[in-house]
């Protein structure tokens, strides 16, 4: 009685141990085609066949040899899975770091352009004040009106240009989050999408793993960009709100949509989407990430052609 129970416990433990690694292989076809994996599968299949033959060869030495063969095959599988998944995670990490570097480079370039723009406007504004002062002293109303119509009237549009939104990102102290935000904002602006960005306090923590947070942030922003760019009036509103009393952070992303109402009860299911076939993966992945955190959840609203999602993290 003890041996079958012990074997069952070991099998259960092994399945629990290798399940996450097998899931990674299942989602990556190039890993499934590995010759090493095929060889190990052959070893395990052979050991199963040999084990079934133990009933015909009632021999202790044969059973011991079969058991040893199975153990070697199993250890080979575990070693392979460990090395493969470790290499996979290292590759993912390197790819993510490179992406962050690219985002940060783009952000730095945009900030430099912003500084040049503001500096040029400041220089022009100083000259404008001198001209305006001269006109006022001379009492030349026509000249004053001309200065207003030509320059001052358009100054608000210069200062409120979408690229100046990036200046608000200085309040975010997490480089990875800052970089992906700048990249997505620039992408949206290039697509002609109006961006409103609001952040009142310094943002130095997100209460969850930063890698998971930027994955969720990327999913939300990509969905917002794709939905809003299909609208005649395209906009995205982004707000970071900190509640120090509740120790809570809220990331609100609201975008225009060409649908007045969206049934939000099923949008987090794998494959459920209004974007066409083989889509709808992002929000299901996001739900999977959130399942790892008790202190994080998302709220979704849709009304009057506006789609809003609020990512709430506590810590």
């Amino acid at each position: 009685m003890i041996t079958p129970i012990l074997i069952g416990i070991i099998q259960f433990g092994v399945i629990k141990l290798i399940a996450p690694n097998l899931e990674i292989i299942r989602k990556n076809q190039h890993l499934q085609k590995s010759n090493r994996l095929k060889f190990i599968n052959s070893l395990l299949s052979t050991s199963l066949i040999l084990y079934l033959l133990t009933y015909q060869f009632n021999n202790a030495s044969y059973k011991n040899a079969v058991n040893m063969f199975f153990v070697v095959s199993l250890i080979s599988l575990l070693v392979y899975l460990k090395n493969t998944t470790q290499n996979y995670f290292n590759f993912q990490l390197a790819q993510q770091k490179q992406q962050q570097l690219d985002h940060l480079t783009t952000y730095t370039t945009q900030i430099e352009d912003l500084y040049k723009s503001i500096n040029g406007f400041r220089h022009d504004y100083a000259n404008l004040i001198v001209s305006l002062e001269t006109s006022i002293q001379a009492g030349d109303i026509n000249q004053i009106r001309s200065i207003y119509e030509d320059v001052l009237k358009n100054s608000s549009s210069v200062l409120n240009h979408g690229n100046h939104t990036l200046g608000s990102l200085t309040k975010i102290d997490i480089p990875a989050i800052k970089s992906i935000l700048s990249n997505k904002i620039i992408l949206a602006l290039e697509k002609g999408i109006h961006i409103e960005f609001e952040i009142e306090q310094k943002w130095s923590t997100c209460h969850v793993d930063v890698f998971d947070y930027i994955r969720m942030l990327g999913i939300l922003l990509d969905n917002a960009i794709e939905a809003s760019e299909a609208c005649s009036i395209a906009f995205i509103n982004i707000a970071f709100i900190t509640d120090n009393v509740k120790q809570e952070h809220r990331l609100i992303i609201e975008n225009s949509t060409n649908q007045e109402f969206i049934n939000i009860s099923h949008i987090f299911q794998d494959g459920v989407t209004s974007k066409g076939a083989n889509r709808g993966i992002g929000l299901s992945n996001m739900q999977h990430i959130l399942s790892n955190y008790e202190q994080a959840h998302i709220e979704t609203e849709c009304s009057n052609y506006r789609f809003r999602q609020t990512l709430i993290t506590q810590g």
Side-chain angles (χ1 to χ4, degrees):
M1 291 293 293
I2 296 177
T3 301
I5 293 175
L6 183 60
I7 292 174
I9 293 174
I10 293 174
Q11 288 177 338
F12 179 79
V14 169
I15 291 172
K16 281 290 186 181
L17 179 65
I18 68 176
N21 298 331
L22 290 176
E23 184 67 15
I24 291 173
I25 292 176
R26 187 182 68 83
K27 293 181 177 180
N28 294 271
Q29 292 186 357
H30 70 281
L31 295 179
Q32 298 173 18
K33 297 177 181 178
S34 168
N35 291 329
R36 291 183 181 180
L37 181 61
K38 293 178 180 178
F39 175 71
I40 294 172
N41 282 334
S42 299
L43 292 180
L44 289 171
S45 300
T46 302
S47 65
L48 176 61
I49 295 172
L50 293 175
Y51 180 78
L52 294 175
L53 293 175
T54 55
Y55 295 99
Q56 295 184 7
F57 302 97
N58 190 14
N59 183 286
S61 298
Y62 177 81
K63 290 182 178 180
N64 291 335
V66 170
N67 290 335
M68 182 61 66
F69 185 81
F70 173 75
V71 169
V72 171
S73 302
L74 183 60
I75 292 175
S76 300
L77 176 62
L78 294 177
V79 171
Y80 170 78
L81 291 176
K82 179 181 180 300
N83 292 336
T84 301
T85 52
Q86 186 64 48
N87 292 336
Y88 174 79
F89 284 127
N90 288 340
F91 173 76
Q92 291 284 89
L93 184 60
Q95 194 176 45
Q96 186 64 40
K97 286 182 177 179
Q98 183 59 47
Q99 191 177 48
Q100 290 176 16
L101 180 60
D102 294 340
H103 291 167
L104 201 55
T105 301
T106 304
Y107 170 71
T108 303
T109 302
Q110 291 293 324
I111 289 297
E112 289 175 354
D113 293 341
L114 174 62
Y115 174 77
K116 292 176 182 178
S117 176
I118 293 295
N119 197 41
F121 181 81
R122 184 179 63 179
H123 180 268
D124 294 340
Y125 193 77
N127 292 333
L128 172 65
I129 294 299
V130 173
S131 300
L132 192 59
E133 182 182 6
T134 303
S135 300
I136 291 174
Q137 290 176 351
D140 190 344
I141 299 300
N142 291 331
Q143 183 66 22
I144 293 172
R145 182 179 290 111
S146 177
I147 293 173
Y148 171 77
E149 291 291 339
D150 294 342
V151 184
L152 290 178
K153 193 174 182 180
N154 298 323
S155 63
S156 59
S157 63
V158 174
L159 292 174
N160 293 325
H161 189 272
N163 287 336
H164 294 238
T165 300
L166 296 173
S168 302
L169 296 182
T170 55
K171 292 183 179 179
I172 297 179
D173 289 337
I174 306 174
I177 295 178
K178 181 187 296 184
S179 66
I180 192 172
L181 269 171
S182 64
N183 180 267
K184 299 302 182 182
I185 288 174
I186 293 168
L187 176 63
L189 291 172
E190 290 175 347
K191 291 177 177 290
I193 300 172
H194 178 74
I195 299 290
E196 290 289 343
F197 183 84
E198 178 184 349
I199 180 170
E200 297 179 353
Q201 302 181 32
K202 284 283 186 180
W203 188 281
S204 57
T205 180
C206 53
H207 301 310
V208 297
D209 182 78
V210 173
F211 179 71
D212 284 340
Y213 196 89
I214 62 176
R215 286 173 63 195
M216 293 188 289
L217 178 59
I219 290 169
L220 293 177
L221 290 173
D222 284 340
N223 287 348
I225 291 172
E226 188 167 357
S228 59
E229 70 175 329
C231 303
S232 56
I233 301 177
F235 68 83
I236 298 176
N237 300 327
I238 306 170
F240 282 83
I241 300 174
T242 301
D243 189 330
N244 294 324
V245 176
K246 295 182 179 179
Q247 292 187 326
E248 180 180 274
H249 284 168
R250 286 177 172 259
L251 164 65
I252 303 173
I253 298 179
E254 182 184 67
N255 61 271
S256 56
T257 175
N258 53 17
Q259 295 177 267
E260 184 176 4
F261 173 78
I262 297 175
N263 186 357
I264 62 176
S265 60
H266 304 298
I267 61 174
F268 288 94
Q269 295 179 7
D270 193 5
V272 176
T273 178
S274 59
K275 302 174 186 176
N278 300 320
R279 308 295 289 278
I281 304 299
L283 288 179
S284 64
N285 286 344
M286 184 169 181
Q287 194 69 8
H288 178 71
I289 296 171
L290 287 171
S291 66
N292 297 320
Y293 299 98
E294 295 182 359
Q295 75 276 25
H297 68 281
I298 190 168
E299 297 176 355
T300 305
E301 305 171 57
C302 181
S303 63
N304 197 26
Y305 298 99
R306 288 173 175 258
F307 186 78
R308 173 187 290 189
Q309 292 196 287
T310 304
L311 178 60
I312 302 170
T313 57
Q314 295 175 317

